[in-house]
């Protein structure tokens, strides 16, 4: 970490640290746009048949475990019902999301981002530590004054869950919906217990991903949005003066 | 600049940004270049699937116990034209499936002739573009055998299926390439679930192209045409939905 001075307006300059590597920043924004478009177009696709089933088959005469609401136009891409265009958006950005994630994972193994920043140490997942971390969040204290640039444990866990569980699960369950891929790789549907199960998992995982996005945005706003957004653009993050 | 104002501005900015991006998507797709790029997704998926997987792979087949209790129909449920009504009234005795285009031996096959050909029976999952799936049993000759019977020429690249039904006054048609046309599970089904194909499911003959979505499985097929290019057929995009509603021609995704 390189402390540096970048605040000429202040009498007492606050140190900035290089927080995000170029691979992380590029991927973050590409992924953010892809996730946004995939959720919107996915909700548009959902409107074509808003019923979810378990098993291999499932249609109107079969038992649906969940009937979804009709998503309003301000949530869907396009803003009016058009299954063909929703699919065009969805299938193009599915490739963007998939290959961007692949590139980011390779880059983060090479630049040691995962090892350095996302590795959860054994002591961190102890209930006492997690409880303290949760209390600190509730008190809006997000940074360890001793190591302000480091992610806290809940942050590490949620990022790791998103990168290594939610996004891969979305990709695999999405691929399982493709009849062409199913023929070639039958395990795609087998691991979910059928195509309609994969479709249900795809939707539930999307809901979890949306939950992450909402909490992530809320915490960025609470933790200092300008500093946070700037650091994800330029890489430089100003260390908060109070260490909070 | 105090922090609360900055936050409020950022939240407002973010909300506006999200709104702009959402409506921006609708504006963006009106731009021909954006549309073109977006529509290349189909070619990339097809290219990746064909490059990375076995293009002869068989779709999974199921046991009789795994079949859907009720197999719903979709799209046209009865062509309803006078010509079709006359055919069905006579149990399709006057029906002829024509095989034309780039073939050395054009054919006009009766339903009895099709039924006398060696048939394949397969229990497969039908995946609709809308998201639902149904498992059913299909019986009929392999399309590849019919094309060989017609002595398909080497310059043929696509197989076009002409159908008896109209949607909004426009004739339904579909097309596939030769990889799918000669795939062993691509059959001209005259039987479904151990009975003759019913009218809602495309009697007397429907295409089964098991590695693609439901709208490719043309119903009420009356003509098969081998062609070198899809240009000049319909609006040139290879099918009714492709022409009029922007559906992907390659529906393996």
């Amino acid at each position: 970490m390189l402390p540096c001075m970048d605040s000429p307006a202040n009498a007492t300059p606050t140190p900035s640290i290089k927080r995000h590597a170029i691979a992380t920043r590029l991927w973050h924004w590409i992924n953010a746009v892809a996730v946004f478009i995939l959720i919107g177009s996915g909700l548009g696709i959902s409107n074509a048949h808003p019923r979810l089933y378990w098993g291999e088959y499932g249609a109107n005469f079969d038992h649906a475990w969940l009937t979804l609401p009709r998503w309003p136009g301000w949530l869907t891409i396009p803003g009016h019902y058009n299954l063909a265009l929703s699919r065009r958006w969805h299938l193009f950005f599915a490739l963007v999301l998939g290959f961007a994630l692949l590139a980011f994972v390779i880059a983060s193994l090479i630049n040691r981002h995962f090892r350095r920043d996302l590795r959860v140490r054994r002591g961190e997942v102890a209930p006492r530590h997690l409880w303290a971390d949760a209390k600190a969040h509730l008190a809006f204290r997000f940074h360890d004054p001793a190591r302000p640039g480091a992610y806290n444990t809940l942050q590490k866990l949620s990022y790791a869950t998103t990168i290594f569980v939610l996004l891969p699960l979305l990709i695999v369950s999405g691929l399982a919906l493709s009849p062409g891929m199913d023929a070639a790789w039958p395990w795609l549907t087998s691991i979910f217990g059928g195509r309609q199960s994969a479709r249900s998992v795809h939707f539930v995982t999307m809901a979890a991903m949306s939950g992450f996005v909402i909490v992530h945005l809320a915490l960025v706003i609470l933790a200092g949005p300008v500093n946070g957004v700037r650091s994800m653009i330029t890489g430089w993050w100003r260390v908060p003066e109070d260490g909070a | 600049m105090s922090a609360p104002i900055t936050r409020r501005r950022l939240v407002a900015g973010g909300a506006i940004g999200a709104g702009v991006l959402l409506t921006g998507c609708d504006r963006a797709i009106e731009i021909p270049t954006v549309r073109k790029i977006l529509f290349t997704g189909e070619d990339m998926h097809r290219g990746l699937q064909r490059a990375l997987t076995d293009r002869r792979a068989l779709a999974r087949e199921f046991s009789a116990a795994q079949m859907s209790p009720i197999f719903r129909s979709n799209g046209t449920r009865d062509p309803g034209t006078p010509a079709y009504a006359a055919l069905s009234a006579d149990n399709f005795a006057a029906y002829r499936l024509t095989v034309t285009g780039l073939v050395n031996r054009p054919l006009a096959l009766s339903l009895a002739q099709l039924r006398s050909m060696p048939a394949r029976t397969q229990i497969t999952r039908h995946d609709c573009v809308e998201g639902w799936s149904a498992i059913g049993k299909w019986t009929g000759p392999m399309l590849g055998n019919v094309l060989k019977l017609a002595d398909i020429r080497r310059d043929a690249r696509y197989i076009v299926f002409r159908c008896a039904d109209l949607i909004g006054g426009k004739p339904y048609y579909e097309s596939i390439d030769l990889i799918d046309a000669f795939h062993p599970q691509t059959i001209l089904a005259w039987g479904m679930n151990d009975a003759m194909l019913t009218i809602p499911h495309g009697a007397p003959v429907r295409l089964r192209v098991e590695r693609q979505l439901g709208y490719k499985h043309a119903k009420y097929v009356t003509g098969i045409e081998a062609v070198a290019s899809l240009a000049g057929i319909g609006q040139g995009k290879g099918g009714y939905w492709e022409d009029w509603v922007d559906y992907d021609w390659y529906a393996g995704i």
Side-chain angles (χ1 to χ4, degrees):
Chain A
M1 291 178 203
L2 302 165
C4 88
M5 317 284 178
D6 78 333
S7 188
N10 265 358
T12 51
T14 42
S16 282
I17 54 173
K18 185 75 188 286
R19 201 169 190 206
H20 302 297
I22 181 74
T24 308
R25 285 178 274 145
L26 267 176
W27 175 73
H28 174 273
W29 294 114
I30 291 170
N31 190 59
V33 170
V35 164
F36 185 86
I37 291 176
L38 283 162
I39 291 174
S41 56
L43 293 178
I45 294 169
S46 167
N47 280 345
H49 190 78
R51 293 159 56 86
L52 297 178
Y53 314 89
W54 294 117
E56 196 69 65
Y57 64 79
N60 304 56
F61 297 104
D62 305 309
H63 171 72
W65 70 272
L66 183 64
T67 302
L68 299 164
R70 187 174 181 86
W71 307 106
W74 58 269
L75 270 179
T76 64
I77 298 174
H80 57 280
Y81 177 72
N82 186 325
L83 176 58
L85 291 188
S86 289
R87 277 173 52 83
R88 295 283 185 176
W89 282 108
H90 204 76
L91 296 170
F92 183 90
F93 279 90
L95 291 173
V96 173
L97 178 120
F99 285 104
L101 181 67
L102 182 67
F104 170 64
V105 167
I106 292 169
S108 298
L109 289 171
I110 293 169
N111 72 15
R112 297 159 70 88
H113 171 47
F114 289 155
R115 250 190 84 157
R116 197 178 54 234
D117 303 317
L118 288 185
R119 191 172 52 169
V120 179
R121 273 108 185 140
R122 186 175 295 185
E124 290 182 306
V125 286
R128 184 186 300 180
H129 183 95
L130 286 178
W131 178 239
D133 205 24
K135 277 199 295 189
H137 272 81
L138 292 174
F140 297 162
R141 279 183 283 108
F142 302 113
H143 309 289
D144 179 355
R147 296 171 61 238
Y151 294 143
N152 61 59
T153 311
L154 291 177
Q155 206 173 2
K156 281 186 195 174
L157 288 174
S158 56
Y159 292 165
T161 304
T162 302
I163 295 165
F164 301 115
V165 181
L166 295 184
L167 290 172
L169 197 54
L170 282 164
I171 293 168
V172 175
S173 60
L175 270 179
L177 303 181
S178 148
M181 292 306 298
D182 280 0
W185 299 350
W187 55 266
L188 279 171
T189 45
S190 307
I191 56 173
F192 296 104
R195 180 179 190 255
Q196 289 300 321
S197 295
R199 186 166 165 264
S200 291
V201 168
H202 196 63
F203 185 87
V204 171
T205 313
M206 178 282 294
M209 185 72 212
S210 304
F212 168 82
V213 170
I214 290 165
V215 172
H216 178 61
L217 291 177
L219 289 175
V220 165
I221 288 162
L222 290 170
V226 176
N227 199 15
V229 171
R230 185 185 47 221
S231 75
M232 199 40 92
I233 294 171
T234 66
W236 290 99
W237 185 71
R238 195 168 297 159
V239 177
E241 283 171 60
D242 54 356
Chain B
M1 212 192 288
S2 64
I5 292 171
T6 312
R7 260 173 213 173
R8 208 171 298 147
R9 277 192 190 160
L10 202 93
V11 173
I16 292 167
V20 165
L21 191 50
L22 264 176
T23 52
C25 286
D26 287 1
R27 292 270 177 83
I29 203 165
E30 299 295 323
I31 303 165
T33 314
V34 174
R35 195 180 175 85
K36 208 170 173 180
I37 293 170
L38 205 62
F39 280 38
T40 59
E42 175 192 348
D43 303 322
M44 291 193 276
H45 278 281
R46 190 187 69 238
L48 283 166
Q49 286 192 10
R50 292 264 162 91
L52 300 178
T53 69
D54 179 5
R55 54 178 65 178
R56 294 161 310 171
L58 294 178
R60 193 169 150 209
E61 296 192 16
F62 298 87
S63 71
Q66 293 170 295
M67 285 165 60
S68 293
I70 300 173
F71 196 118
R72 63 162 284 187
S73 64
N74 202 27
T76 305
R77 284 164 174 96
D78 184 342
T81 62
Y84 183 83
L87 277 177
S88 68
D90 196 21
N91 275 325
F92 301 102
Y95 167 83
R96 293 293 180 274
L97 174 69
T98 60
V99 184
T100 56
L102 301 176
V103 294
N104 290 320
R105 192 187 311 131
L107 303 171
L109 301 166
S110 69
L111 187 53
Q113 281 174 305
L114 279 169
R115 291 187 64 188
S116 70
M117 290 181 71
R120 192 180 199 283
T121 293
Q122 57 203 30
I123 301 176
T124 52
R125 197 190 60 224
H126 180 91
D127 298 325
C128 179
V129 66
E130 294 165 359
W132 54 269
S133 306
I135 298 177
K137 187 179 194 176
W138 306 94
T139 302
M142 281 159 55
L143 173 64
N145 287 345
V146 174
L147 295 175
K148 281 179 206 156
L149 194 65
D151 194 11
I152 184 168
R153 282 166 38 184
R154 296 193 68 88
D155 49 346
R157 286 195 56 211
Y158 300 97
I159 305 299
V160 177
F161 302 87
R162 309 279 188 179
C163 305
D165 60 325
L166 307 161
I167 297 183
K170 300 183 182 84
Y172 199 90
Y173 79 100
E174 259 305 339
S175 62
I176 57 176
D177 63 14
L178 294 188
I179 294 172
D180 274 316
F182 281 93
H183 185 265
Q185 285 172 322
T186 301
I187 63 173
L188 294 167
W190 47 259
M192 176 190 178
N193 293 356
D194 296 315
M196 291 300 282
L197 196 61
T198 59
I199 291 175
H201 287 291
V205 170
R206 89 174 293 175
L207 175 69
R208 296 298 309 170
V209 48
E210 301 293 355
R211 299 181 299 176
Q212 299 208 37
L213 297 172
Y215 63 88
K216 298 299 286 190
H217 302 228
K219 304 199 283 190
Y220 318 106
V221 178
T222 55
I224 295 175
E225 201 179 330
V227 298
S229 157
L230 296 172
I233 298 167
Q235 304 294 303
K237 293 180 188 160
Y240 170 83
W241 294 107
E242 292 89 328
D243 279 347
W244 301 104
V245 202
D246 291 326
Y247 274 25
D248 311 82
W249 176 79
Y250 179 70
I253 41 172

